[in-house]
Amino acid sequence: MWQLEDTTYRDLRENSLDQWLDEMAAHEDLQVRGGVRLARDYIAYLKKENQRLQEQNQLTQQYLKKTIQEKRAR
């Protein structure tokens, strides 16, 4: 049976990070506030890159399965 992935820990971690960044956005120091946008952009980039790598990995796995099946068929 397939079960849904438990994302509770990941959700808590993301919510905690978002809350911390919100608090830093209200900080009195301009450099800290400016870093919040940079941090959010970097996190978005990392999520996008992670998704791309997962898709690439799936494609590689499909190719390898196909190659193995062709070798076994010979």
Side-chain angles (χ1 to χ4, degrees), residues 31-66:
Q31 290 178 337
V32 173
R33 287 188 310 233
V36 171
R37 180 173 176 232
L38 181 64
R40 290 187 195 274
D41 290 346
Y42 186 62
I43 290 168
Y45 163 76
L46 289 176
K47 286 180 181 179
K48 184 178 175 183
E49 184 69 10
N50 189 23
Q51 181 64 31
R52 185 188 69 79
L53 290 172
Q54 286 177 354
E55 291 170 1
Q56 183 181 7
N57 187 30
Q58 288 176 353
L59 184 63
T60 303
Q61 287 177 352
Q62 291 172 357
Y63 174 76
L64 290 174
K65 284 180 184 178
K66 183 178 176 182

